[in-house]
Amino acid sequence: SHISEQLLVYHVPMRCGCSVFFSQEAATGTRVTPTGIVQLLKDVRPSLLVAVPRLWEKIAFVGEALVGHDKEKKKKPTKMTAWALRKGRAAVEAVETGHHKPRGFGFARWHCLRKVRAQLGLDYGKYCAVYGPGLSQHASDLFLGLGVVLHRVWGTPELTGVALATSHQQWTIAAVGGPISRIAQTRLDGSGGELLVGGDCVCCGYL
C-alpha cells in the first residue's frame, strides 16, 4: 500500500491509540459516488481525516448541493445560508490571524453551519487535512464558509510519507506547513526555488 496509507492505518493508530474504519467499498475496489462517500463519513463521524484533493472535491460537491448552490442551474444559497457562510469564512480567517471570531458566528454555527457539517459527516472532525496539492478555489471556499479548518500535509514515499504539515498552532489558509518536529529539516534552494529536505525521514535508497 501507499506510504501515507501505512502511516494513517498502522503507525499513527499504534502510536496514538485510535480506531481505524475500513471501507468495504474501498477494500473491494468498488467505485464510490460522492453521495456514497458522504454516507460513509456520516456513519463513521471521523475525528481524523486526511485525504487527497479528489476526495475532498467529492465531499464539496455534496456540500454545495446541501447549501443550495448549483452552478449548472444557476441556483444560489438563500440569504440566510449565504450570510452564515460569510460568517464561517470570517471565523476561519480570524483563527488564521489570531483575532476573535466575528459577532454572529455563534448563531450562524448553531442554526446553519453545524447542521451542514453533520450532513457531511464532518461534525466530529478535530484534524481534517488535504494530502498533496491544494483544493480548487470553489471547494476551498465552501469548506472555509462551513468553518472547517482544512490542514495541509505534504510528503513523498522517499520522505516516509510526510515531511511538512500544518497544526492548530501554525495554520494559514495558503500554507503548506512546517517540517515535522525532530524528523525533517527543510530549506529553500535560492537558485531554483526547490525545497530541500533532510533528516531521519529521508530514505537511504531504493531496493
mmCIF file of all heavy atoms in Angstrom, residues 93-124:
data_model
loop_
_atom_site.group_PDB
_atom_site.id
_atom_site.type_symbol
_atom_site.label_atom_id
_atom_site.label_comp_id
_atom_site.label_asym_id
_atom_site.label_seq_id
_atom_site.Cartn_x
_atom_site.Cartn_y
_atom_site.Cartn_z
ATOM 1 N N GLU A 93 -10.787 32.800 9.022
ATOM 2 C CA GLU A 93 -9.749 33.804 8.790
ATOM 3 C C GLU A 93 -9.296 34.431 10.112
ATOM 4 O O GLU A 93 -8.130 34.801 10.256
ATOM 5 C CB GLU A 93 -10.271 34.868 7.836
ATOM 6 C CG GLU A 93 -10.479 34.342 6.414
ATOM 7 C CD GLU A 93 -11.137 35.365 5.504
ATOM 8 O OE1 GLU A 93 -11.666 36.364 6.026
ATOM 9 O OE2 GLU A 93 -11.121 35.152 4.266
ATOM 10 N N ALA A 94 -10.214 34.534 11.085
ATOM 11 C CA ALA A 94 -9.841 35.045 12.399
ATOM 12 C C ALA A 94 -8.888 34.084 13.102
ATOM 13 O O ALA A 94 -7.950 34.505 13.788
ATOM 14 C CB ALA A 94 -11.087 35.278 13.250
ATOM 15 N N VAL A 95 -9.136 32.780 12.940
ATOM 16 C CA VAL A 95 -8.220 31.778 13.503
ATOM 17 C C VAL A 95 -6.840 31.936 12.875
ATOM 18 O O VAL A 95 -5.807 31.847 13.556
ATOM 19 C CB VAL A 95 -8.764 30.355 13.251
ATOM 20 C CG1 VAL A 95 -7.730 29.311 13.653
ATOM 21 C CG2 VAL A 95 -10.049 30.139 14.034
ATOM 22 N N GLU A 96 -6.807 32.205 11.578
ATOM 23 C CA GLU A 96 -5.532 32.355 10.869
ATOM 24 C C GLU A 96 -4.732 33.541 11.394
ATOM 25 O O GLU A 96 -3.513 33.458 11.555
ATOM 26 C CB GLU A 96 -5.806 32.540 9.377
ATOM 27 C CG GLU A 96 -4.559 32.775 8.538
ATOM 28 C CD GLU A 96 -4.899 33.046 7.088
ATOM 29 O OE1 GLU A 96 -6.027 33.478 6.807
ATOM 30 O OE2 GLU A 96 -4.014 32.849 6.235
ATOM 31 N N THR A 97 -5.408 34.652 11.671
ATOM 32 C CA THR A 97 -4.715 35.870 12.082
ATOM 33 C C THR A 97 -4.604 36.026 13.590
ATOM 34 O O THR A 97 -3.972 36.962 14.074
ATOM 35 C CB THR A 97 -5.442 37.100 11.512
ATOM 36 O OG1 THR A 97 -6.819 37.089 11.953
ATOM 37 C CG2 THR A 97 -5.413 37.072 9.989
ATOM 38 N N GLY A 98 -5.242 35.104 14.339
ATOM 39 C CA GLY A 98 -5.176 35.183 15.788
ATOM 40 C C GLY A 98 -6.145 36.171 16.398
ATOM 41 O O GLY A 98 -5.975 36.571 17.559
ATOM 42 N N HIS A 99 -7.193 36.563 15.685
ATOM 43 C CA HIS A 99 -8.184 37.503 16.192
ATOM 44 C C HIS A 99 -9.417 36.752 16.713
ATOM 45 O O HIS A 99 -9.558 35.548 16.519
ATOM 46 C CB HIS A 99 -8.601 38.490 15.099
ATOM 47 C CG HIS A 99 -7.516 39.436 14.695
ATOM 48 N ND1 HIS A 99 -6.559 39.112 13.746
ATOM 49 C CD2 HIS A 99 -7.228 40.693 15.108
ATOM 50 C CE1 HIS A 99 -5.726 40.130 13.581
ATOM 51 N NE2 HIS A 99 -6.110 41.100 14.407
ATOM 52 N N HIS A 100 -10.308 37.519 17.349
ATOM 53 C CA HIS A 100 -11.544 36.934 17.838
ATOM 54 C C HIS A 100 -12.488 36.643 16.673
ATOM 55 O O HIS A 100 -12.496 37.349 15.659
ATOM 56 C CB HIS A 100 -12.231 37.881 18.823
ATOM 57 C CG HIS A 100 -11.463 38.069 20.100
ATOM 58 N ND1 HIS A 100 -11.309 37.062 21.032
ATOM 59 C CD2 HIS A 100 -10.802 39.148 20.599
ATOM 60 C CE1 HIS A 100 -10.597 37.503 22.055
ATOM 61 N NE2 HIS A 100 -10.272 38.765 21.816
ATOM 62 N N LYS A 101 -13.301 35.611 16.825
ATOM 63 C CA LYS A 101 -14.272 35.280 15.791
ATOM 64 C C LYS A 101 -15.345 36.361 15.718
ATOM 65 O O LYS A 101 -15.659 36.997 16.727
ATOM 66 C CB LYS A 101 -14.893 33.909 16.082
ATOM 67 C CG LYS A 101 -13.884 32.774 15.991
ATOM 68 C CD LYS A 101 -14.496 31.432 16.325
ATOM 69 C CE LYS A 101 -13.445 30.321 16.246
ATOM 70 N NZ LYS A 101 -13.994 29.001 16.591
ATOM 71 N N PRO A 102 -15.906 36.580 14.539
ATOM 72 C CA PRO A 102 -16.833 37.709 14.358
ATOM 73 C C PRO A 102 -18.137 37.538 15.123
ATOM 74 O O PRO A 102 -18.570 36.422 15.420
ATOM 75 C CB PRO A 102 -17.077 37.704 12.844
ATOM 76 C CG PRO A 102 -16.881 36.279 12.443
ATOM 77 C CD PRO A 102 -15.757 35.793 13.310
ATOM 78 N N ARG A 103 -18.750 38.669 15.422
ATOM 79 C CA ARG A 103 -20.052 38.647 16.078
ATOM 80 C C ARG A 103 -21.082 38.009 15.142
ATOM 81 O O ARG A 103 -21.122 38.314 13.959
ATOM 82 C CB ARG A 103 -20.477 40.064 16.431
ATOM 83 C CG ARG A 103 -21.854 40.154 17.081
ATOM 84 C CD ARG A 103 -22.188 41.578 17.451
ATOM 85 N NE ARG A 103 -21.300 42.096 18.485
ATOM 86 C CZ ARG A 103 -21.388 43.331 19.004
ATOM 87 N NH1 ARG A 103 -22.326 44.157 18.552
ATOM 88 N NH2 ARG A 103 -20.543 43.722 19.946
ATOM 89 N N GLY A 104 -21.886 37.162 15.687
ATOM 90 C CA GLY A 104 -22.898 36.476 14.892
ATOM 91 C C GLY A 104 -22.476 35.096 14.437
ATOM 92 O O GLY A 104 -23.306 34.328 13.945
ATOM 93 N N PHE A 105 -21.180 34.750 14.633
ATOM 94 C CA PHE A 105 -20.718 33.435 14.187
ATOM 95 C C PHE A 105 -21.368 32.314 14.991
ATOM 96 O O PHE A 105 -21.703 31.265 14.449
ATOM 97 C CB PHE A 105 -19.197 33.336 14.289
ATOM 98 C CG PHE A 105 -18.672 31.937 14.060
ATOM 99 C CD1 PHE A 105 -18.742 31.357 12.807
ATOM 100 C CD2 PHE A 105 -18.146 31.203 15.114
ATOM 101 C CE1 PHE A 105 -18.291 30.065 12.590
ATOM 102 C CE2 PHE A 105 -17.685 29.906 14.906
ATOM 103 C CZ PHE A 105 -17.758 29.344 13.636
ATOM 104 N N GLY A 106 -21.549 32.532 16.301
ATOM 105 C CA GLY A 106 -22.176 31.503 17.133
ATOM 106 C C GLY A 106 -23.587 31.176 16.660
ATOM 107 O O GLY A 106 -23.972 30.004 16.592
ATOM 108 N N PHE A 107 -24.340 32.204 16.306
ATOM 109 C CA PHE A 107 -25.695 31.992 15.801
ATOM 110 C C PHE A 107 -25.646 31.257 14.469
ATOM 111 O O PHE A 107 -26.421 30.314 14.232
ATOM 112 C CB PHE A 107 -26.396 33.345 15.633
ATOM 113 C CG PHE A 107 -27.806 33.238 15.140
ATOM 114 C CD1 PHE A 107 -28.860 33.081 16.033
ATOM 115 C CD2 PHE A 107 -28.086 33.295 13.781
ATOM 116 C CE1 PHE A 107 -30.168 32.978 15.580
ATOM 117 C CE2 PHE A 107 -29.390 33.193 13.317
ATOM 118 C CZ PHE A 107 -30.435 33.033 14.215
ATOM 119 N N ALA A 108 -24.730 31.679 13.568
ATOM 120 C CA ALA A 108 -24.606 31.041 12.255
ATOM 121 C C ALA A 108 -24.183 29.586 12.383
ATOM 122 O O ALA A 108 -24.691 28.708 11.675
ATOM 123 C CB ALA A 108 -23.595 31.807 11.397
ATOM 124 N N ARG A 109 -23.276 29.313 13.318
ATOM 125 C CA ARG A 109 -22.801 27.939 13.507
ATOM 126 C C ARG A 109 -23.909 27.054 14.050
ATOM 127 O O ARG A 109 -24.086 25.920 13.586
ATOM 128 C CB ARG A 109 -21.605 27.942 14.464
ATOM 129 C CG ARG A 109 -21.067 26.555 14.775
ATOM 130 C CD ARG A 109 -19.881 26.632 15.705
ATOM 131 N NE ARG A 109 -20.237 27.279 16.960
ATOM 132 C CZ ARG A 109 -19.352 27.539 17.927
ATOM 133 N NH1 ARG A 109 -18.080 27.237 17.756
ATOM 134 N NH2 ARG A 109 -19.739 28.118 19.051
ATOM 135 N N TRP A 110 -24.678 27.556 15.014
ATOM 136 C CA TRP A 110 -25.692 26.737 15.665
ATOM 137 C C TRP A 110 -26.881 26.466 14.748
ATOM 138 O O TRP A 110 -27.414 25.358 14.720
ATOM 139 C CB TRP A 110 -26.149 27.398 16.950
ATOM 140 C CG TRP A 110 -27.181 26.604 17.685
ATOM 141 C CD1 TRP A 110 -28.532 26.810 17.714
ATOM 142 C CD2 TRP A 110 -26.940 25.430 18.467
ATOM 143 N NE1 TRP A 110 -29.153 25.858 18.478
ATOM 144 C CE2 TRP A 110 -28.197 24.989 18.957
ATOM 145 C CE3 TRP A 110 -25.794 24.715 18.822
ATOM 146 C CZ2 TRP A 110 -28.327 23.873 19.770
ATOM 147 C CZ3 TRP A 110 -25.934 23.610 19.623
ATOM 148 C CH2 TRP A 110 -27.182 23.193 20.088
ATOM 149 N N HIS A 111 -27.312 27.461 14.002
ATOM 150 C CA HIS A 111 -28.537 27.339 13.222
ATOM 151 C C HIS A 111 -28.322 26.887 11.782
ATOM 152 O O HIS A 111 -29.289 26.545 11.109
ATOM 153 C CB HIS A 111 -29.293 28.671 13.219
ATOM 154 C CG HIS A 111 -29.899 29.009 14.545
ATOM 155 N ND1 HIS A 111 -31.093 28.485 14.971
ATOM 156 C CD2 HIS A 111 -29.449 29.795 15.555
ATOM 157 C CE1 HIS A 111 -31.375 28.946 16.182
ATOM 158 N NE2 HIS A 111 -30.395 29.744 16.561
ATOM 159 N N CYS A 112 -27.073 26.882 11.309
ATOM 160 C CA CYS A 112 -26.855 26.525 9.901
ATOM 161 C C CYS A 112 -25.618 25.660 9.696
ATOM 162 O O CYS A 112 -25.720 24.541 9.214
ATOM 163 C CB CYS A 112 -26.753 27.799 9.052
ATOM 164 S SG CYS A 112 -26.498 27.478 7.289
ATOM 165 N N LEU A 113 -24.447 26.177 10.066
ATOM 166 C CA LEU A 113 -23.188 25.535 9.686
ATOM 167 C C LEU A 113 -23.023 24.158 10.312
ATOM 168 O O LEU A 113 -22.573 23.213 9.645
ATOM 169 C CB LEU A 113 -22.006 26.437 10.072
ATOM 170 C CG LEU A 113 -22.026 27.843 9.470
ATOM 171 C CD1 LEU A 113 -20.794 28.622 9.910
ATOM 172 C CD2 LEU A 113 -22.104 27.772 7.949
ATOM 173 N N ARG A 114 -23.377 24.024 11.577
ATOM 174 C CA ARG A 114 -23.201 22.720 12.240
ATOM 175 C C ARG A 114 -24.095 21.650 11.617
ATOM 176 O O ARG A 114 -23.733 20.478 11.571
ATOM 177 C CB ARG A 114 -23.471 22.838 13.743
ATOM 178 C CG ARG A 114 -24.930 23.020 14.114
ATOM 179 C CD ARG A 114 -25.138 23.113 15.617
ATOM 180 N NE ARG A 114 -26.564 23.211 15.947
ATOM 181 C CZ ARG A 114 -27.333 22.169 16.192
ATOM 182 N NH1 ARG A 114 -26.835 20.953 16.138
ATOM 183 N NH2 ARG A 114 -28.608 22.336 16.487
ATOM 184 N N LYS A 115 -25.266 22.069 11.129
ATOM 185 C CA LYS A 115 -26.176 21.113 10.506
ATOM 186 C C LYS A 115 -25.606 20.606 9.182
ATOM 187 O O LYS A 115 -25.706 19.415 8.872
ATOM 188 C CB LYS A 115 -27.531 21.764 10.287
ATOM 189 C CG LYS A 115 -28.244 22.179 11.577
ATOM 190 C CD LYS A 115 -29.566 22.868 11.290
ATOM 191 C CE LYS A 115 -30.252 23.298 12.585
ATOM 192 N NZ LYS A 115 -31.529 24.003 12.318
ATOM 193 N N VAL A 116 -25.009 21.508 8.404
ATOM 194 C CA VAL A 116 -24.416 21.096 7.133
ATOM 195 C C VAL A 116 -23.205 20.209 7.376
ATOM 196 O O VAL A 116 -23.020 19.182 6.704
ATOM 197 C CB VAL A 116 -24.023 22.324 6.291
ATOM 198 C CG1 VAL A 116 -23.360 21.893 4.984
ATOM 199 C CG2 VAL A 116 -25.251 23.187 5.993
ATOM 200 N N ARG A 117 -22.366 20.579 8.349
ATOM 201 C CA ARG A 117 -21.203 19.744 8.663
ATOM 202 C C ARG A 117 -21.635 18.353 9.125
ATOM 203 O O ARG A 117 -20.988 17.353 8.798
ATOM 204 C CB ARG A 117 -20.332 20.417 9.733
ATOM 205 C CG ARG A 117 -19.568 21.619 9.237
ATOM 206 C CD ARG A 117 -18.377 21.917 10.127
ATOM 207 N NE ARG A 117 -18.777 22.232 11.478
ATOM 208 C CZ ARG A 117 -18.964 23.469 11.942
ATOM 209 N NH1 ARG A 117 -18.802 24.504 11.125
ATOM 210 N NH2 ARG A 117 -19.306 23.673 13.185
ATOM 211 N N ALA A 118 -22.727 18.290 9.884
ATOM 212 C CA ALA A 118 -23.234 16.987 10.328
ATOM 213 C C ALA A 118 -23.734 16.171 9.143
ATOM 214 O O ALA A 118 -23.537 14.947 9.088
ATOM 215 C CB ALA A 118 -24.356 17.176 11.350
ATOM 216 N N GLN A 119 -24.361 16.815 8.181
ATOM 217 C CA GLN A 119 -24.847 16.109 6.996
ATOM 218 C C GLN A 119 -23.708 15.637 6.109
ATOM 219 O O GLN A 119 -23.885 14.734 5.299
ATOM 220 C CB GLN A 119 -25.793 17.016 6.203
ATOM 221 C CG GLN A 119 -27.137 17.235 6.879
ATOM 222 C CD GLN A 119 -28.033 18.162 6.085
ATOM 223 O OE1 GLN A 119 -27.699 19.318 5.849
ATOM 224 N NE2 GLN A 119 -29.169 17.652 5.654
ATOM 225 N N LEU A 120 -22.520 16.246 6.274
ATOM 226 C CA LEU A 120 -21.330 15.797 5.543
ATOM 227 C C LEU A 120 -20.496 14.815 6.354
ATOM 228 O O LEU A 120 -19.501 14.283 5.852
ATOM 229 C CB LEU A 120 -20.462 17.004 5.159
ATOM 230 C CG LEU A 120 -21.048 17.970 4.138
ATOM 231 C CD1 LEU A 120 -20.120 19.170 3.947
ATOM 232 C CD2 LEU A 120 -21.290 17.276 2.800
ATOM 233 N N GLY A 121 -20.869 14.583 7.616
ATOM 234 C CA GLY A 121 -20.106 13.670 8.460
ATOM 235 C C GLY A 121 -18.836 14.271 9.018
ATOM 236 O O GLY A 121 -17.946 13.551 9.472
ATOM 237 N N LEU A 122 -18.730 15.606 9.039
ATOM 238 C CA LEU A 122 -17.512 16.280 9.488
ATOM 239 C C LEU A 122 -17.689 16.986 10.824
ATOM 240 O O LEU A 122 -16.816 17.748 11.247
ATOM 241 C CB LEU A 122 -17.071 17.313 8.436
ATOM 242 C CG LEU A 122 -16.756 16.777 7.043
ATOM 243 C CD1 LEU A 122 -16.438 17.926 6.096
ATOM 244 C CD2 LEU A 122 -15.592 15.788 7.094
ATOM 245 N N ASP A 123 -18.801 16.743 11.498
ATOM 246 C CA ASP A 123 -19.085 17.482 12.724
ATOM 247 C C ASP A 123 -18.195 17.076 13.896
ATOM 248 O O ASP A 123 -18.080 17.821 14.862
ATOM 249 C CB ASP A 123 -20.560 17.339 13.108
ATOM 250 C CG ASP A 123 -21.042 15.901 13.071
ATOM 251 O OD1 ASP A 123 -20.455 15.096 12.313
ATOM 252 O OD2 ASP A 123 -22.014 15.566 13.771
ATOM 253 N N TYR A 124 -17.555 15.902 13.834
ATOM 254 C CA TYR A 124 -16.660 15.469 14.901
ATOM 255 C C TYR A 124 -15.183 15.601 14.500
ATOM 256 O O TYR A 124 -14.305 15.156 15.223
ATOM 257 C CB TYR A 124 -16.951 14.018 15.300
ATOM 258 C CG TYR A 124 -18.163 13.860 16.184
ATOM 259 C CD1 TYR A 124 -19.445 13.820 15.640
ATOM 260 C CD2 TYR A 124 -18.035 13.754 17.564
ATOM 261 C CE1 TYR A 124 -20.568 13.675 16.444
ATOM 262 C CE2 TYR A 124 -19.154 13.609 18.379
ATOM 263 C CZ TYR A 124 -20.411 13.574 17.805
ATOM 264 O OH TYR A 124 -21.516 13.441 18.607
#
